[in-house]
Amino acid sequence: MPVLAVAVGYAAWRGHRARAAAVALAMVAVPVFVMPLKLWADRTGPLTVDSGYYPSGHTATAMVVYCGAALLLRPLTGHRTGRAWAMPVAVVLSAATGIGLVLRGYHWPLDVLGSWLLCGMLLVLLVAALRWIDNRGAAGTGAGDK
């Protein structure tokens, strides 16, 4: 979460408030999507009889934090290498989080896979929203992204 908070703050400071708000809203949407599924699935974890493990909230949060920060900062990065590496690094960090949760016995593989699919759809919506924001600003509406 601190990674995303810094990225959102930096983007807002640079004048990209609408983009920052869209990414922050995506993060707020994570528990809105994950919690009802956890209650509905009522799935136990691999090392406990407690329920609420599907889908993995930690995996979902990591994916939206890292990929959302990469999407947000990509146009603000002046250096070409930074733009090229932002999303691959975010994907590796997201994958490592999910895999680590499975290897440590906190989640079943399907818990992590479910989060990746759920947040993949959320990120597709976020990309569409960011493109709409960028196109609206480029269309010369006067509002821009301020």
Side-chain angles (χ1 to χ4, degrees):
M1 293 295 281
V3 169
L4 189 62
V6 168
V8 166
Y10 179 71
W13 178 68
R14 293 279 310 265
H16 295 267
R17 290 183 218 50
R19 289 179 61 83
V23 173
L25 185 61
M27 188 62 241
V28 170
V30 169
V32 171
F33 290 136
V34 169
M35 292 311 294
L37 286 172
K38 283 182 175 287
L39 294 172
W40 175 75
D42 198 32
R43 180 183 173 107
T44 60
L47 300 176
T48 181
V49 295
D50 294 334
S51 63
Y53 282 79
Y54 177 86
S56 167
H58 289 97
T59 301
T61 300
M63 187 172 178
V64 173
V65 163
Y66 294 132
C67 294
L71 288 168
L72 184 58
L73 295 178
R74 190 169 188 269
L76 301 176
T77 306
H79 199 269
R80 187 176 183 176
T81 304
R83 286 191 302 268
W85 283 94
M87 191 53 73
V89 168
V91 169
V92 167
L93 290 172
S94 300
T97 300
I99 292 167
L101 289 167
V102 171
L103 292 178
R104 297 289 297 165
Y106 293 115
H107 280 286
W108 298 105
L110 188 59
D111 301 343
V112 171
L113 180 62
S115 288
W116 285 339
L117 294 173
L118 177 68
C119 288
M121 292 185 292
L122 181 60
L123 289 170
V124 166
L125 293 173
L126 177 59
V127 167
L130 293 175
R131 284 186 180 153
W132 180 81
I133 290 167
D134 292 343
N135 289 338
R136 184 191 66 165
T141 61
D145 190 21
K146 306 284 182 190

